[in-house]
Amino acid sequence: MPKQIHLAAHFPGVNNTTVWSDPAAGSHIEFSSFVRFAQAAERGKFDFLFLAEGLRLREQNGAIYDLDVVGRPDTFTVLTALAAVTERLGLTGTINSTFNEPYEVARQFATLDHLSGGRAAWNVVTSWDAFTGENFRRGGFLPQDQRYERARTFLETTHELFDSWRGDEIVADQASGVFLGDADAGRFAHSDAHFDISGRFDVPRSPQGRPVIFQAGDSDEGRDFAASSADAIFSRHSTKEAGQAFYSDVKGRLSTFGRSRDELLILPAATFVIGDTDAEAAELAHEVRRQQVSGQTALRFLEQVWNRDLSAYDPDGPLPDVDPVISEDHVAKGRAQVRMHRDPLAIAKQWRELAEAKGYSIRELMIETQSRQSFIGSPATVAATIDDLVQSDAADGYILVPHITPGGLDPFVDRVVPLLQERGVFRTDYEGTTLRENLGLAAR
Amino acid sequence: MTHLHSHLHVAVALDGAGWHPAAWREPDARPAELFTAGYWVGLVTEAQRGLLDLVTFEDDLALQSTDRFADDQRTDQVRGRLDAVQVAARVAPVTEGIGLVPTAVVTHTEPFHLSKAIATLDYVSTGRAGVRVKVAGSSSEAAHFGRRSELSLEDLFAEAGDWVEVVRRLWDSWEDDAEIRDVATGRFVDREKLHYIDFEGRFFSVKGPSITPRPPQGQPVVAALAHQALPYELVGRSTDLGFVTPVDAADAARIVGEVRSAQSAAGRADETVHVFGDVVVFLDDDAATARARRARLDETAGEEYRSDALVFDGTPPQLADLLEEWAGAGLTGFRLRPATLPHDLRRITAGLVPELQRRGLFRASYEASTLRGLLGLPRPTNRFATV
Ligand SMILES: Cc1cc2nc3c(=O)[nH]c(=O)nc-3n(C[C@H](O)[C@H](O)[C@H](O)COP(=O)(O)O)c2cc1C
């Protein structure tokens, strides 16, 4: 039997992938958009809906970034509301472990799990910066090297809270008057360098016991954190070569933590453009990239590597002849992405060579290097590509990020999903009621 | 300064199986379902059938206890609760008309997180959100968060005031028309219409803007329960709605007076601040039945039920008399706490409401689609707007 593919849907949000200028683009904040999107994902029998998070509006060159979609709802509130209009779809929320407290987050996830009948998942992210910290009591106190240490003990602490109820304590026997079968239900005590807390957790054990745990973060520490503690990884590596390299690296780490290869799913983010034919899709994909990368956006991308204000440059002209500024302080704030550019001088050199060889302007170069969609083609091509990638261990499935809100998922659901089902690599109905069951993960 | 209304406002406070500790043992109680969505949807739908202004959802950041300061280890009462904001959010898409006001504990939470949570509740309910702020003075709640030294009562309320101020500024930190989608210039938002709130206080500093655009109501309704001078000041200074606990009409008049002076002192004399009287209710078709039910519940609990609010037992018309009398003392509405659920809630919707309607004191249909609209509160202009 071939490997079964997992599919999830990422609500399009704050990044230049989301095309807002298209006439088909609707509201990204009104609840009706979330309902339509979630119901499309559920119609397609997707495993879950995914929400990213950003806790401060991004800035560049000292001003709020105004070219992309800005603004998003609160994760727990919108996911719980979506539980009212869906039945089987998993609900995955990205929640930061630096700017929250375990007791509160544990009760929010336990509540989501109760109110959705066992469909909650938590993508644990570790952004730590002082810029984001300015919105919170604690401020930006956390040094970068402690981000995963806090994440690890945060996660352990929430697990202690989830496990402080076994699940059989609520007796609610009206005749005998015993509501609670254990006078100590929920008792916990945790003490380490980050958290010193004790008492009683006040949410009884939820259907899944613990939410499904995701990790997103690409560093060595991040990969170890995932291998030791997560049920799934949200990665960036959607191409075959990079995907396979990431897949074997992370799956290889599992044995160190006494875990087997099927205890951790690898689900890269992926974008797509579907046309009637491959040629039509390629044309459409290019058009979408032009919508995603305006001249202004191209300059802002370039600034994220050059780390200097380039607004005086012509996006339709050649690359700047000045070099990137190497500094701890970055012109782009609140963007996890900029930390990816680990050697800006080398990137600049490589881009100049590419632009020269192909005669690219700044905008053309950015369109080529920054925003190529993961899957482009006819429904048959896209289905075959995804199947091949999953069977060749480049991934266990994909978290799809459409470029249009809220209807962008429809072409995939209506045209690609049936082909994957025909191939026998994707479910025709949900296997279970909880997300853990649908992801094929053991109960925890 | 007092706000004249053609009719009374009626809210219901939902908590567990009802406010009496033995409520969960009543034959019509569903104690095993307290942690399911269906339970809460059923209750709010019933309240909506009665055209009530709003429901509140109780919450704490600790397990329930009869001892305010410690864990009581009791097993004969309801224990365990879901996060109130999420319960409200779960109910929102399947209800309409009625306001949804969850409790938020301000002492240990981040105003930034709660500001976007309540704004989002306003989006998912299309304009029916509120929040009831609550301080947490107990050491058990503090121990759940760690490292936070306990504050004096003065500081707890000063912090609550700052918390509300931060939340309100964050709601305004986006002007209503900040999203421009201007294809010509490539700008999705007009950054001139997004505002840093730059709050610096004794308890926290918050930069802003919010990550969530200004919610449908502009400012969701802020409420607080108040029993004494410090919280009366919080109500007068910071909220749209206070829940108070008079013992009789004279007491109600005194409390309303205190809230109004606090309101004037805060320079808000011309704004509408509702003051609702809280009453625990045992309602039946005849008074003897209500009294007997109360006695039976007390016997089951093993002690007489006591409350911070007046405990009423009687018929819907008798309750209507009381509410009319108290309204005469200046209260603008009431928050009824059903002693048992769903029994007393049904007596409110099917008994009290028709009685008030007969007297011309209550609406016959929802006259507005937002909670502010139901409460006669205008949609506020944005404090940061320049035009
Ligand atoms: C695919 C992917 C998606 C991410 N999404 C978010 C997000 O939505 N919110 C956030 O705060 N951080 C997000 N991050 C950032 C990571 O959680 C992490 O904090 C950051 O990458 C630093 O960790 P690292 O050094 O291990 O990469 C994402 C990272 C990756 C790889």
Side-chain angles (χ1 to χ4, degrees):
Chain A
M1 167 138 155
K3 251 172 96 178
Q4 292 296 297
I5 295 169
H6 292 285
L7 290 175
H10 185 308
F11 188 85
V14 177
N15 54 53
N16 82 296
T17 305
T18 312
V19 172
W20 52 261
S21 55
D22 195 287
S27 172
H28 68 297
I29 188 71
E30 278 165 24
F31 187 57
S32 55
S33 288
F34 287 88
V35 174
R36 166 142 184 226
F37 188 79
Q39 290 178 343
E42 190 161 78
R43 182 162 45 107
K45 313 294 177 197
F46 279 37
D47 288 279
F48 57 91
L49 175 145
F50 185 97
L51 287 185
E53 184 187 61
L55 294 171
R56 182 156 172 196
L57 299 191
R58 300 174 307 167
E59 290 180 4
Q60 197 152 318
N61 300 321
I64 288 170
Y65 194 87
D66 58 359
L67 303 178
D68 296 347
V69 167
V70 189
R72 45 178 127 216
D74 176 68
T75 301
F76 288 113
T77 315
V78 83
L79 290 182
T80 314
L82 284 174
V85 295
T86 55
E87 285 175 4
R88 289 288 183 270
L89 187 69
L91 302 163
T92 304
T94 298
I95 293 292
N96 184 291
S97 58
T98 301
F99 304 110
N100 284 288
E101 296 298 325
Y103 194 93
E104 194 181 6
V105 167
R107 81 192 294 271
Q108 288 168 315
F109 274 113
T111 297
L112 177 60
D113 208 45
H114 276 291
L115 293 177
S116 65
R119 299 189 274 143
W122 174 16
N123 178 34
V124 187
V125 296
T126 58
S127 309
W128 70 90
D129 52 281
F131 174 74
T132 305
E134 282 179 356
N135 282 334
F136 297 98
R137 289 183 195 257
R138 280 177 182 277
F141 77 96
L142 195 65
Q144 180 182 352
D145 62 1
Q146 285 182 27
R147 70 198 190 285
Y148 280 110
E149 189 189 307
R150 180 170 161 113
R152 191 170 291 112
T153 88
F154 193 114
L155 187 60
E156 272 167 26
T157 308
T158 57
H159 283 167
E160 285 167 31
L161 293 167
F162 296 133
D163 293 349
S164 68
W165 291 75
R166 292 180 310 272
D168 58 358
E169 293 92 341
I170 306 277
V171 179
D173 182 18
Q174 293 179 312
S176 68
V178 174
F179 184 84
L180 210 55
D182 176 355
D184 270 326
R187 189 162 304 287
F188 69 93
H190 180 103
S191 182
D192 65 34
H194 292 272
F195 308 105
D196 183 7
I197 63 174
S198 62
R200 290 180 75 182
F201 187 50
D202 66 339
V203 185
R205 196 166 181 82
S206 68
Q208 292 189 113
R210 299 173 179 183
V212 174
I213 301 297
F214 282 76
Q215 185 270 355
D218 214 11
S219 61
D220 209 41
E221 301 104 294
R223 293 176 185 207
D224 270 344
F225 177 55
S228 69
S229 318
D231 298 302
I233 295 190
F234 178 44
S235 91
R236 315 189 188 280
H237 308 288
S238 60
T239 64
K240 189 162 189 173
E241 301 68 37
Q244 286 175 330
F246 182 82
Y247 195 96
S248 70
D249 175 274
V250 178
K251 295 252 177 177
R253 292 173 194 242
L254 286 163
S255 61
T256 323
F257 302 98
R259 303 178 72 201
S260 68
R261 287 174 71 85
D262 52 8
E263 284 180 70
L264 181 68
L265 296 170
I266 294 177
L267 306 173
T271 53
F272 60 89
V273 176
I274 293 158
D276 287 342
T277 63
D278 287 353
E280 190 194 298
E283 206 170 298
L284 206 60
H286 191 75
E287 251 169 64
V288 171
R289 289 204 292 277
R290 287 189 62 80
Q291 289 178 306
Q292 290 169 328
V293 187
S294 66
Q296 288 307 306
T297 296
L299 284 179
R300 300 290 92 80
F301 272 165
L302 207 65
E303 287 174 349
Q304 287 163 24
V305 173
W306 258 253
N307 193 23
R308 62 201 301 164
D309 184 346
L310 300 176
S311 41
Y313 286 81
D314 176 2
D316 296 319
L319 265 66
D321 41 16
V322 294
D323 272 335
V325 173
I326 306 301
S327 156
E328 278 300 293
D329 197 28
H330 205 280
V331 294
K333 298 202 188 296
R335 254 181 205 274
Q337 207 111 351
V338 301
R339 296 192 286 272
M340 298 261 298
H341 303 309
R342 287 191 172 120
D343 187 354
L345 288 170
I347 297 173
K349 180 165 177 287
Q350 192 193 325
W351 281 358
R352 274 204 196 100
E353 285 167 8
L354 181 63
E356 212 150 298
K358 304 257 183 173
Y360 286 154
S361 67
I362 291 175
R363 184 177 179 199
E364 286 164 342
L365 179 80
M366 290 301 105
I367 286 174
E368 286 310 306
T369 60
Q370 295 298 288
S371 43
R372 184 167 287 284
Q373 293 88 348
S374 316
F375 306 125
I376 303 170
S378 67
T381 301
V382 170
T385 307
I386 291 177
D387 191 13
D388 172 56
L389 287 166
V390 170
Q391 303 311 330
S392 60
D393 282 351
D396 293 312
Y398 290 89
I399 299 179
L400 299 168
V401 195
H403 58 267
I404 293 284
T405 311
L409 203 58
D410 298 353
F412 194 98
V413 165
D414 296 334
R415 304 182 69 186
V416 181
V417 164
L419 301 181
L420 293 171
Q421 289 167 333
E422 269 171 34
R423 285 172 169 261
V425 293
F426 189 68
R427 68 166 67 91
T428 50
D429 203 357
Y430 288 104
E431 294 86 1
T433 59
T434 70
L435 177 58
R436 246 174 222 294
E437 286 163 358
N438 289 323
L439 287 172
L441 296 164
R444 289 181 79 165
Chain B
M1 143 170 166
T2 41
H3 172 91
L4 284 181
H5 259 289
S6 57
H7 59 65
L8 292 177
H9 297 283
V10 180
V12 162
L14 299 177
D15 188 25
W19 286 75
H20 193 286
W24 70 271
R25 297 183 64 183
E26 287 291 277
D28 66 343
R30 292 155 66 197
E33 293 171 36
L34 299 178
F35 307 97
T36 64
Y39 179 77
W40 296 97
V41 171
L43 293 178
V44 178
T45 306
E46 180 61 32
Q48 176 184 309
R49 205 170 288 138
L51 304 174
L52 303 190
D53 290 83
L54 60 98
V55 291
T56 60
F57 303 90
E58 296 302 306
D59 209 3
D60 273 317
L61 293 171
L63 197 67
Q64 297 95 324
S65 174
T66 45
D67 181 338
R68 263 191 53 199
F69 298 99
D71 167 28
D72 66 3
Q73 296 270 103
R74 286 181 78 144
T75 58
D76 63 332
Q77 298 181 357
V78 167
R79 291 292 180 267
R81 242 199 213 113
L82 300 176
D83 178 82
V85 177
Q86 288 170 263
V87 172
R90 176 62 182 75
V91 167
V94 289
T95 53
E96 54 190 320
I98 193 160
L100 303 169
V101 182
T103 300
V105 174
V106 303
T107 310
H108 302 290
T109 57
E110 295 285 354
F112 191 85
H113 285 316
L114 265 299
S115 160
K116 65 186 158 67
I118 302 302
T120 303
L121 181 62
D122 211 37
Y123 278 104
V124 303
S125 66
T126 51
R128 295 181 286 129
V131 60
R132 175 228 161 170
V133 298
K134 181 179 187 182
V135 304
S138 82
S139 53
S140 51
E141 278 166 298
H144 294 162
F145 287 80
R147 295 219 184 92
R148 219 163 124 61
S149 54
E150 281 168 56
L151 302 178
S152 68
L153 211 56
E154 281 73 18
D155 282 350
L156 281 170
F157 278 94
E159 184 183 51
D162 282 3
W163 193 99
V164 173
E165 175 65 16
V166 169
V167 165
R168 286 190 180 283
R169 285 197 205 176
L170 286 168
W171 288 333
D172 277 351
S173 66
W174 289 57
E175 293 184 37
D176 291 315
D177 52 356
E179 184 181 317
I180 50 170
R181 299 192 185 222
D182 186 37
V183 178
T185 58
R187 293 173 307 146
F188 180 78
V189 279
D190 178 354
R191 60 163 76 109
E192 302 300 316
K193 294 178 187 284
L194 298 174
H195 302 275
Y196 297 104
I197 68 162
D198 283 322
F199 183 88
E200 300 274 352
R202 278 169 61 207
F203 307 97
F204 32 73
S205 60
V206 176
K207 182 80 184 167
S210 178
I211 58 167
T212 308
R214 194 164 192 246
Q217 293 183 102
Q219 295 269 318
V221 172
V222 177
L225 172 63
H227 297 108
Q228 45 177 299
L230 276 170
Y232 294 154
E233 280 166 28
L234 179 71
V235 168
R237 189 173 64 239
S238 306
T239 76
D240 305 295
L241 169 58
F243 303 122
V244 301
T245 53
V247 294
D248 56 30
D251 197 29
R254 174 190 64 82
I255 293 170
V256 170
E258 286 201 42
V259 172
R260 299 288 173 230
S261 339
Q263 191 182 337
S264 297
R268 301 175 69 211
D270 56 348
E271 292 176 34
T272 299
V273 175
H274 281 287
V275 184
F276 283 15
D278 268 22
V279 185
V280 180
V281 296
F282 292 83
L283 288 174
D284 283 290
D285 294 340
D286 66 89
T289 309
R291 270 198 304 279
R293 190 160 58 86
R294 178 177 175 180
R296 178 166 52 74
L297 279 153
D298 282 355
E299 196 183 331
T300 305
E303 61 193 334
E304 193 190 329
Y305 175 59
R306 290 171 189 287
S307 170
D308 54 322
L310 180 82
V311 182
F312 172 92
D313 53 42
T315 64
Q318 287 170 337
L319 179 59
D321 290 343
L322 178 92
L323 303 189
E324 252 192 282
E325 187 198 349
W326 285 19
L331 294 172
T332 55
F334 297 90
R335 185 175 75 146
L336 305 177
R337 305 183 194 173
T340 71
L341 290 167
H343 180 96
D344 292 302
L345 173 60
R346 293 219 175 108
R347 288 298 185 282
I348 292 167
T349 55
L352 177 69
V353 164
E355 178 63 29
L356 291 175
Q357 286 168 333
R358 262 193 295 280
R359 299 183 188 194
L361 292 172
F362 198 68
R363 67 171 65 85
S365 65
Y366 282 118
E367 70 274 19
S369 63
T370 68
L371 177 55
R372 291 188 77 91
L374 292 181
L375 294 176
L377 300 168
R379 189 175 189 279
T381 52
N382 191 318
R383 76 198 64 198
F384 296 111
T386 45
V387 274

